[in-house]
Structure formats: C-alpha cells, structure tokens
Amino acid sequence: MRSNFPAIRPMSTTSATNRVQGRSATRPAAQGLLSVEDGIEKKRTSTTLSVIVPAYNEQYLIATSLSRLAVLGESPLLDKIKIIVVNDGSTDGTAEAIEQFRASVEAEKGESKFSWVWLQHEKNSGKGSAIRTGLSQVDTELVVMHDADLEYHPVDLLKMVELFLMEDADAVFGSRFMPGGYKRALFFRHELGNKLLTFLCDVVSDVNLTDMETCYKMVRASLLKSIPLESSTFDVEPELAIKLAKRASRIFEVPISYSGRTYREGKKINWKDGVRALWAIFHYAMSSRIYAEDEHGAAILERLNRAPRFTRWMADVIRPYLGDRVLEIGAGIGNMSVHLMPRTTYWATDVNDQYLDHLWRLCPTRPYMRVAYTDAENPETFPAGQSFNTVVCLNVVEHIQDDAAALRNVWNVLDQGGRAIVLVPCGPKLYGSLDEVLGHFRRYTRQQLVELGERSGFHVEKVLEFNRPGVVAWWLNGRILHRKKFGLAQIRLLNFMTPVFRLLDNWLPLPPLSIIAILRKDENSQS
C-alpha cells in the first residue's frame, strides 16, 4: 500500500443540477462538462467521482486493489473522490483485510481529495445488490464500479473521466476489446461468450458496444440514480447497458487494459452467469421500467410515451392555435415538443431534472429551441426578459395545488392577444389510482375549467373535448382494478388503435377523457 494514500475526510455534496432560468440551454454540471451560455462555449476541466467497490471473498487482493485507487488522487481532473467499499457477505478474511486497510487509511493525516465509506452485507447478495447499496451513498457528479480483484487498473478511469470532460457523455464504458490497451491472453471461449452477449445486447438496444460485460462503466450519478436497477448478480451488466440505451443516453467507449485471472487465482464468474446474462438481455429488452419511481410519475409517463401515434394526435389538435413564440410548461422529454416545432422561438421547460436532460439533447439540431427549469407556481422561474404569444400547458395544472395562481403567472408572460392552451383531465368521477400515482390534485368539469380561465384573467375562446375512447380504459384501470400503471400491451393497443380513435372521437356517446381550453389574453382583460 502506498504510504501517502489519503485519509478520510468529509466531502460536501455537489449539486447535480444547474437549473437554467431565462438563459439559453445549458447542460447541468453533472453532465459536464460542456455548456453554452450567452453564446460562449465553456468547458469544464475537472469533476468529482465516486468509486463503488463490491467485494466478495477477496481477502488476499482487496487491500492492493484499494491502494491502486490512489492514482486517482494524482490527477487534476478530479476535485473530489469518494470510495465506497461494500463487503458483500464475504465468508473468508475479507472483512478483516478491509478493517486493516481502513485503519491504515485513517492513520494518515493531512488534506486529501478522498473520502471513504465502509458498508457491510450480512449475507452475500451479489454484485448488483452491492452496487445498489453503494449507490445510496453517492453524492458526486460521476460514479463508476471497480472490482475488488486486480483484473482492471484504475489508471484507465482517468481516460474515462477525460472523455466526460471532452464530450457530452452520459456514460463511458471501458472496452477490453478495442485496440489501444493490453490484455492477458486467457480463455478464448470466454471471449467468444462475451462477444456473443455484447452482440445480442447491441441488437436489442440498437447500440454498437464492443464490450457490454466490462466492469468499468462510468455514468453520471444523477442519471444512474434515476434508473431502477433490479438485478442482484452479474446480470446487472446487461441491465445497465440496455436501460442506458433505452434512456437515449450518450454512451462512449474507450480502450482499457485487462489482466484477467484464472480460476486458480480466484476468478468467480462461470457459465451460469453467462446464462443469467442471456436471460437478462431478453428480459430487459422487453421491460419498460427505465425510470425510478418519483413524485413526477416518470415511470407511468414513460409507458405512455410508447404511444407516438397518440402524441401526434394530440399535437394535431392543438397545433392550429399556436403562434411563433412558444413557451411549453411541463414538456417532459419533448415527445410533444418535437411535433409542435419548428417555431421562431420555442422554450421547452420542466421541473424534473432528468426530463431537462432529455430536452437539452434536442437543442443542437434545433437552434430556435431553449430549455429551462420553470415551475408554473413560481413566477421567478419563468424565462427572464421573455414574452410569448403562446403558452402550452398539457397535463400540468391538475398537478398544482393553486391552479389559478399558476394560470395568472402564464397570463403575465403572454403578449396581448396571446393564447394559453391548457389541457386537463376531465371527469371528477373518474379520479382513481392512476390519478393518485401521477400526482393529480383533481379532474375538471368543462364548467370548472371555464371558470378557472376566467378567474385567471383570460377570455375563454374555445373548449375542445379530446379522447372519448380513452375513458373506458382509464375507468377500468384506475377505478375498478386500482392499477398504478398501464400494461405495456394496453399501450401498444392504444398506439395501434389511435387512427380509429381519431375517426370515432367526435361520434362516441361518451364523455371525453381530457378537455382543452383555448384561453386568450385580451387587451381589456386583467389578471
């Protein structure tokens, strides 16, 4: 162990989000790395990193593996480094070896970039479980996994960090099969198995990775925390790769070196893990669980996003009322936004940091687009110095306790004669479990929506009724079956049947699932 290995010291939490208010699109700090603000390109030169080290029966290697991490402290690319060691129920002397290493680290004095967290599983739960445990302690911008053996060398992590600083990366994988690094010649059949699993993963996720099974996967911490990891063993590797791809993450690869070990030297992965990985690829290819549960209902909204025909239908209904300077509040990941653009100016806003990440990715090919954090209840978060002739609020005001105050804020940023397009769920008697999980305070009647618009200072130009066929599915799922989300088969059926629903919508003897108010700010109206 290096004698100058850093001692424990507290590490302050680094905010993973830089909320953009009244400026052009700026990538959050945790994404790194590259931002455009007021027309000036700015690159970051350093970041912060957490290293999760799962350890199981590695009593002879764990100390050396941890001491190698000292190389990270020598790099100017890293301001802070947090090492999270998870002893995953080891039955040999790993716990004692960790304690000896911990004592030597705590004996060191002086300032350091490093902080340490020591965690323990009572029973062996697997690599995936250890990663979830370690992830709960991450408070840095980036996070990476580092095995407790000596097959990988942490010096390669610096190449991965550098790529985050150079490119707009969401994840960087260290590839053992790209040219540029060295590797020990071992296990030809293992390599064939790895390449087969990588190929299948690439097929189902439509990416072109060369090494899906690599241990070295460095990810933006805020992104990884928003992905529900379900695997407990080595099948966490294909799960993470597939879910990152489904989240439209920008994944890069860099060559790394690999010094594999034989089974006599302690290698643990075997053919059973290959079978689990194969099953995991097919399982997560079908899964739509790529958002962790949150207060924004991200999981159910992601499921609804799998009906693009339905989204286009809604866009076609409201498009005739749009002007050329648009503010969209609650844009989500931009599924509706892309159908309403291009415009002279289009501001897409939300309060969910992960949604803002998605919106930011749409900007490079849309120079008229801006992204900002905007809370409809807080007028100070609206884009500063901007005015609009259209504000779009689709499925927003039902989430707000004081809906009238939110619409008054909308009134204030509109030009005279400008319109607010407000879509809300219809039918208070339909309120059920789906509304609860989505955070709806209420569902509206037509009269309630009209009164809300007038009370907020608007002239109600028109009220449109939308999606009568959807009433049956919402009532069945939310009121009768008390479900918390729609089944994937139901969403696919919705997408398939949308052309028919569009034809029948005005003729069915059913109440609408949603109503859309076209509100106008007249010259003589007051807020």
Side-chain angles (χ1 to χ4, degrees), residues 204-277:
V204 302
S205 58
D206 195 26
V207 293
N208 59 343
L209 296 171
T210 63
D211 188 7
M212 174 274 294
E213 287 284 355
T214 179
C215 165
Y216 273 2
K217 293 180 175 72
M218 189 177 292
V219 188
R220 287 188 299 105
S222 60
L223 172 60
L224 185 55
K225 285 186 172 185
S226 74
I227 295 176
L229 294 179
E230 305 167 59
S231 302
S232 293
T233 59
F234 284 102
D235 50 347
V236 71
E237 308 292 3
E239 178 190 5
L240 181 54
I242 291 171
K243 289 186 175 182
L244 284 171
K246 286 189 174 185
R247 288 283 294 269
S249 305
R250 288 172 56 85
I251 306 173
F252 290 78
E253 285 187 303
V254 296
I256 61 171
S257 299
Y258 180 65
S259 181
R261 56 179 178 169
T262 66
Y263 286 100
R264 288 185 177 181
E265 293 169 327
K267 191 174 187 67
K268 298 181 178 66
I269 196 167
N270 56 42
W271 66 270
K272 294 180 182 179
D273 296 297
V275 173
R276 291 191 190 98

Side-chain angles (χ1 to χ4, degrees), residues 115-354:
S115 66
W116 292 82
V117 176
W118 313 91
L119 304 174
Q120 171 78 34
H121 285 174
E122 293 302 320
K123 296 181 179 180
N124 177 244
S125 303
K127 182 176 181 178
S129 178
I131 289 173
R132 287 195 297 273
T133 298
L135 197 58
S136 66
Q137 301 295 317
V138 171
D139 56 8
T140 52
E141 294 175 358
L142 306 176
V143 59
V144 71
M145 278 57 75
H146 171 71
D147 283 349
D149 53 36
L150 304 179
E151 293 188 331
Y152 296 81
H153 200 293
V155 71
D156 288 320
L157 296 178
L158 299 177
K159 294 192 294 185
M160 301 169 71
V161 170
E162 186 176 4
L163 188 54
F164 274 96
L165 297 172
M166 291 173 57
E167 295 286 348
D168 180 31
D170 294 314
V172 177
F173 289 12
S175 173
R176 298 164 291 177
F177 304 127
M178 290 178 68
Y182 65 81
K183 65 176 181 177
R184 182 180 177 184
L186 278 176
F187 299 133
F188 172 70
R189 289 185 293 276
H190 275 214
E191 181 171 336
L192 287 180
N194 276 336
K195 290 184 176 180
L196 173 62
L197 293 173
T198 298
F199 171 76
L200 293 174
C201 181
D202 288 349
V203 169
V204 302
S205 58
D206 195 26
V207 293
N208 59 343
L209 296 171
T210 63
D211 188 7
M212 174 274 294
E213 287 284 355
T214 179
C215 165
Y216 273 2
K217 293 180 175 72
M218 189 177 292
V219 188
R220 287 188 299 105
S222 60
L223 172 60
L224 185 55
K225 285 186 172 185
S226 74
I227 295 176
L229 294 179
E230 305 167 59
S231 302
S232 293
T233 59
F234 284 102
D235 50 347
V236 71
E237 308 292 3
E239 178 190 5
L240 181 54
I242 291 171
K243 289 186 175 182
L244 284 171
K246 286 189 174 185
R247 288 283 294 269
S249 305
R250 288 172 56 85
I251 306 173
F252 290 78
E253 285 187 303
V254 296
I256 61 171
S257 299
Y258 180 65
S259 181
R261 56 179 178 169
T262 66
Y263 286 100
R264 288 185 177 181
E265 293 169 327
K267 191 174 187 67
K268 298 181 178 66
I269 196 167
N270 56 42
W271 66 270
K272 294 180 182 179
D273 296 297
V275 173
R276 291 191 190 98
L278 187 63
W279 175 88
I281 289 172
F282 292 106
H283 173 71
Y284 294 114
M286 301 298 295
S287 173
S288 62
R289 191 164 180 255
I290 60 175
Y291 281 95
E293 297 291 342
D294 61 15
E295 70 275 17
H296 305 291
I300 189 171
L301 291 177
E302 191 281 330
R303 182 65 63 85
L304 290 171
N305 287 336
R306 289 177 171 243
R309 290 178 175 177
F310 181 81
T311 304
R312 285 197 296 269
W313 176 22
M314 187 183 296
D316 291 342
V317 170
I318 68 174
R319 190 181 295 107
Y321 305 98
L322 259 65
D324 62 344
R325 289 178 288 110
V326 178
L327 168 65
E328 183 182 1
I329 299 175
I333 61 175
N335 284 6
M336 178 64 65
S337 311
V338 297
H339 292 294
L340 302 181
M341 294 186 279
R343 301 284 158 178
T344 302
T345 302
Y346 197 101
W347 284 75
T349 70
D350 208 282
V351 296
N352 186 325
D353 296 334
Q354 296 303 321

Side-chain angles (χ1 to χ4, degrees), residues 344-490:
T344 302
T345 302
Y346 197 101
W347 284 75
T349 70
D350 208 282
V351 296
N352 186 325
D353 296 334
Q354 296 303 321
Y355 292 168
L356 292 174
D357 292 349
H358 279 275
L359 294 171
W360 192 94
R361 297 189 191 101
L362 301 176
C363 293
T365 58
R366 297 170 174 84
Y368 46 80
M369 183 180 178
R370 300 290 182 269
V371 174
Y373 172 94
T374 298
D375 181 353
E377 293 184 275
N378 185 356
E380 295 181 358
T381 65
F382 280 68
Q386 303 291 321
S387 64
F388 305 92
N389 54 28
T390 310
V391 176
V392 178
C393 295
L394 307 180
N395 291 312
V396 172
V397 297
E398 68 271 17
H399 295 269
I400 299 173
Q401 186 75 50
D402 192 347
D403 50 1
L407 284 188
R408 285 194 292 271
N409 293 334
V410 169
W411 189 95
N412 287 328
V413 298
L414 274 171
D415 296 335
Q416 291 294 339
R419 289 189 177 112
I421 302 172
V422 181
L423 182 146
V424 296
C426 181
K429 292 183 179 180
L430 283 176
Y431 192 95
S433 58
L434 292 174
D435 295 279
E436 292 172 357
V437 75
L438 284 170
H440 292 174
F441 284 107
R442 65 194 76 81
R443 300 182 69 90
Y444 294 80
T445 65
R446 182 188 181 103
Q447 183 61 31
Q448 286 171 340
L449 182 58
V450 169
E451 292 176 354
L452 173 64
E454 292 175 344
R455 192 165 69 250
S456 304
F458 286 101
H459 167 72
V460 181
E461 184 176 318
K462 185 179 293 187
V463 176
L464 307 173
E465 297 182 343
F466 178 75
N467 189 19
R468 287 176 177 84
V471 165
V472 176
W474 197 275
W475 172 80
L476 180 63
N477 284 278
R479 295 285 295 175
I480 303 302
L481 301 177
H482 302 290
R483 289 179 173 172
K484 301 297 184 181
K485 62 181 179 180
F486 284 110
L488 185 57
Q490 290 178 302

Side-chain angles (χ1 to χ4, degrees), residues 41-53:
E41 184 178 278
K42 299 179 180 180
K43 276 191 177 180
R44 299 186 58 203
T45 58
S46 62
T47 184
T48 57
L49 175 68
S50 287
V51 183
I52 299 176
V53 186

Side-chain angles (χ1 to χ4, degrees), residues 48-112:
T48 57
L49 175 68
S50 287
V51 183
I52 299 176
V53 186
Y56 175 65
N57 288 354
E58 295 289 359
Q59 67 179 40
Y60 301 112
L61 302 181
I62 180 67
T64 304
S65 180
L66 293 176
S67 66
R68 281 183 170 186
L69 294 170
V71 71
L72 301 177
E74 300 170 2
S75 172
L77 302 178
L78 294 172
D79 298 324
K80 296 177 182 178
I81 304 144
K82 188 172 193 176
I83 313 298
I84 304 167
V85 182
V86 184
N87 181 12
D88 186 28
S90 297
T91 56
D92 63 353
T94 299
E96 291 76 10
I98 290 175
E99 279 302 312
Q100 291 177 7
F101 184 85
R102 178 178 181 175
S104 64
V105 168
E106 292 177 346
E108 297 286 342
K109 304 296 182 182
E111 287 297 316
S112 166

